[in-house]
Amino acid sequence: MQYIYMDETWNQWPYWKQWNSRYFFIVFLLTKNSSISEQVLKKTFKWMMKKWIKHKWWVFHTSNELNESRMKILEYSQWKDFMIATYYVDKTNIGGLSKDPHLLYNNMVIKLLKRCIDKNIILQWEKVQFIAARKETNRFLNKQFTEQIKYSIEPQIKIDVLLRYPLQEKWLQHVDSMALPILHKYEFNNITLYNIMKDHIVIEEEIPRN
């Protein structure tokens, strides 16, 4: 069984909107060991408690954490068995891609899944559990997202798509900690966090235009 946990950095809305980013990323964390994240987060929270660093409801949300906490979770993750794959788009140069945020989002997820299959990161006919954060409250869009992935990927692989809240699924907190360093590299030209986890990255590419 291959597990894929997905996060996105910031949002896919137009660059000109206030407080928005230039880049939008889809990030996958791929592993065959579903217990790694529990181990990493447990060690991270234990370290935070010793340092009297506050956290809310045992949820690690990277953008809200201190930089030393961000570095610590990456250090605890360094020797664990998982891979990172990411596609990004420069929102100032959408080109031939859809300008509809929801279509762009779905398109990036599907293309990154297919890229993982092409590179044999996901083996054909392998059973996959794909877990994404349930951030969209519109039930129709949630259903559309799930159905579009299954329609586009099957029968190459057998995929189950699950939408969960980060509080329910520790791995979603873990992949969130992996996504922020990639954003910092492109958005702020800061590779401090990125250098800690870069050896896990197997795909880091701009989304193809075709």
Side-chain angles (χ1 to χ4, degrees), residues 104-164:
L104 175 62
Y105 182 96
N106 290 2
N107 188 31
M108 288 181 72
V109 172
I110 291 165
K111 284 192 173 185
L112 185 52
L113 278 169
K114 289 182 176 180
R115 181 68 171 142
C116 288
I117 294 170
D118 290 343
K119 292 193 72 173
N120 291 320
I121 296 166
I122 304 172
L123 300 179
Q124 289 200 27
W125 315 113
E126 185 173 27
K127 189 171 183 182
V128 172
Q129 192 170 85
F130 182 91
I131 302 172
R134 184 188 289 274
K135 295 180 180 178
E136 180 57 69
T137 56
N138 186 311
R139 289 186 181 180
F140 170 73
L141 291 175
N142 278 329
K143 184 178 179 182
Q144 185 186 53
F145 173 75
T146 301
E147 290 179 346
Q148 194 169 347
I149 290 176
K150 291 180 75 69
Y151 176 80
S152 301
I153 299 302
E154 291 182 334
Q156 284 179 288
I157 57 172
K158 176 64 178 175
I159 188 166
D160 291 324
V161 181
L162 304 174
L163 302 179
R164 296 285 187 265

Side-chain angles (χ1 to χ4, degrees), residues 6-15 20-28 87-113 141 144-145 148-149 205-210:
M6 191 202 84
D7 192 30
E8 70 276 352
T9 58
W10 288 14
N11 60 57
Q12 68 272 37
W13 300 100
Y15 177 51
N20 213 336
S21 61
R22 175 173 176 171
Y23 294 93
F24 175 64
F25 295 83
I26 292 291
V27 181
F28 291 173
Y87 264 173
Y88 64 89
V89 62
D90 182 343
K91 291 184 287 185
T92 64
N93 183 26
I94 294 293
L97 300 171
S98 173
K99 292 181 174 60
D100 181 299
H102 299 295
L103 290 177
L104 175 62
Y105 182 96
N106 290 2
N107 188 31
M108 288 181 72
V109 172
I110 291 165
K111 284 192 173 185
L112 185 52
L113 278 169
L141 291 175
Q144 185 186 53
F145 173 75
Q148 194 169 347
I149 290 176
E205 300 170 1
E206 189 169 10
I207 184 173
R209 301 290 166 156
N210 53 352

Side-chain angles (χ1 to χ4, degrees), residues 33-199:
N33 185 347
S34 61
S35 66
I36 291 173
S37 140
E38 194 78 37
Q39 300 164 13
V40 169
L41 283 164
K42 189 175 180 180
K43 287 182 72 174
T44 305
F45 284 131
K46 187 176 180 180
W47 175 86
M48 290 171 73
M49 288 175 70
K50 285 181 179 178
K51 295 289 185 178
W52 295 93
I53 298 173
K54 292 182 179 179
H55 53 81
K56 188 176 180 181
W57 301 109
W58 298 95
V59 175
F60 193 93
H61 195 289
T62 305
S63 61
N64 297 335
E65 306 297 342
L66 297 176
N67 206 51
E68 56 184 318
S69 300
R70 296 171 181 168
M71 293 184 76
K72 188 57 66 174
I73 193 170
L74 293 174
E75 287 170 7
Y76 286 146
S77 303
Q78 266 186 311
W79 310 113
K80 299 297 183 181
D81 185 19
F82 64 86
M83 296 175 286
I84 298 292
T86 183
Y87 264 173
Y88 64 89
V89 62
D90 182 343
K91 291 184 287 185
T92 64
N93 183 26
I94 294 293
L97 300 171
S98 173
K99 292 181 174 60
D100 181 299
H102 299 295
L103 290 177
L104 175 62
Y105 182 96
N106 290 2
N107 188 31
M108 288 181 72
V109 172
I110 291 165
K111 284 192 173 185
L112 185 52
L113 278 169
K114 289 182 176 180
R115 181 68 171 142
C116 288
I117 294 170
D118 290 343
K119 292 193 72 173
N120 291 320
I121 296 166
I122 304 172
L123 300 179
Q124 289 200 27
W125 315 113
E126 185 173 27
K127 189 171 183 182
V128 172
Q129 192 170 85
F130 182 91
I131 302 172
R134 184 188 289 274
K135 295 180 180 178
E136 180 57 69
T137 56
N138 186 311
R139 289 186 181 180
F140 170 73
L141 291 175
N142 278 329
K143 184 178 179 182
Q144 185 186 53
F145 173 75
T146 301
E147 290 179 346
Q148 194 169 347
I149 290 176
K150 291 180 75 69
Y151 176 80
S152 301
I153 299 302
E154 291 182 334
Q156 284 179 288
I157 57 172
K158 176 64 178 175
I159 188 166
D160 291 324
V161 181
L162 304 174
L163 302 179
R164 296 285 187 265
Y165 294 107
L167 185 61
Q168 297 172 291
E169 182 56 68
K170 297 294 186 187
W171 271 108
L172 293 175
Q173 299 173 46
H174 198 181
V175 67
D176 177 55
S177 73
M178 298 291 146
L180 189 73
I182 299 171
L183 173 71
H184 279 195
K185 174 186 173 182
Y186 288 87
E187 200 74 33
F188 308 117
N189 199 28
N190 183 342
I191 59 172
T192 304
L193 296 174
Y194 177 87
N195 281 341
I196 302 174
M197 48 77 73
K198 65 181 181 181
D199 289 344

